[in-house]
């Protein structure tokens, strides 16, 4: 990506960030939602099926991974609204790099994801959770989480471009919930029926959650999952990033 394209992407990112000042409630709701899930599953509903050790130590890394999967509906809705309000059409005549609008939206979403991770980690620390892997391992865990988010984000953008209309986003976003809950975020796969546990272990989100638990020294962590936690998102990006950009560039033709 050349300097001109980077400038275009940064311009579109600043445009998306400006929306935060106009709609702070939407940003706040996104941050509170993951905290609410942590408190609900950790203290109200309960869990620990098949979990050895402190459940909060097991739950928090899973909730961090779950947060990276949830919340895509806001991005998908923003993309479809931009299409239907003619925003994209107004940008097309400008000398702008292909896909800069999408990259700008993705960059703003990644910044929000960092805030979500910070909020959830802060609440976890307040509840007594502590990472045990050291600063380097903690940063590596955050990197894996954000890589998963980046891959899921481009899947969401592609699906939004395919859906085309905001009202169709609700039907598409229903697919996010099975991906999120059909994982080891809340319970250990060993406590599930054999076929279900196998499906859960193959979920890319489960690979990330397991790797993060290993890096943070949490129950349920297993060595050797870091490679899978990197390769799965990269494979998804290799498929959906070019599909999204190609779909976007063909919209006005």
């Amino acid at each position: 990506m050349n300097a001109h394209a980077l400038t275009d992407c940064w311009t579109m990112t600043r445009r998306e960030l400006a929306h935060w000042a106009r709609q702070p409630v939407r940003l706040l709701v996104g941050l509170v939602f993951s905290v609410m899930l942590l408190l609900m599953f950790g203290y109200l509903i309960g869990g620990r099926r098949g979990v050895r050790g402190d459940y909060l130590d097991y739950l928090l890394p899973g909730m961090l991974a779950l947060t990276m999967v949830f919340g895509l509906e806001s991005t998908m809705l923003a993309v479809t609204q931009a299409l239907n309000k003619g925003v994209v059409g107004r940008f097309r005549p400008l000398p702008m790099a292909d896909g800069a609008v999408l990259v700008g939206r993705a960059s703003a979403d990644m910044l929000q994801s960092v805030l979500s991770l910070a909020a959830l980690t802060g609440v976890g620390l307040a509840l007594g959770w502590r990472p045990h892997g050291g600063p380097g391992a903690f940063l590596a865990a955050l990197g894996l989480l954000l890589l998963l988010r980046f891959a899921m984000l481009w899947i969401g953008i592609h699906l939004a471009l395919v859906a085309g209309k905001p009202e169709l986003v609700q039907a598409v976003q229903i697919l996010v919930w099975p991906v999120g809950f059909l994982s080891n975020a809340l319970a250990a796969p060993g406590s599930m029926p054999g076929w279900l546990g196998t499906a859960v272990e193959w979920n890319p989100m489960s690979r990330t959650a397991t790797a993060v638990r290993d890096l943070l020294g949490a129950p349920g962590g297993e060595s050797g999952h870091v490679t899978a936690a990197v390769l799965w998102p990269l494979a998804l990006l290799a498929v959906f990033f070019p599909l999204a950009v190609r779909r976007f560039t063909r919209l006005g033709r």
Side-chain angles (χ1 to χ4, degrees), residues 55-80:
Y55 185 58
L56 181 61
D57 285 345
Y58 179 90
L59 178 64
L60 186 63
M63 289 303 308
L64 292 172
L66 195 63
T67 300
M68 297 298 95
V69 175
F70 284 174
L72 293 180
E73 60 272 10
S74 60
T75 294
M76 296 170 67
L77 188 62
V79 172
T80 54

Side-chain angles (χ1 to χ4, degrees), residues 187-208:
S191 66
M192 305 173 187
W195 63 271
L196 183 59
T198 300
V200 164
E201 289 179 345
W202 275 97
N203 187 334
M205 202 198 90
S206 294
R207 299 298 181 119
T208 297

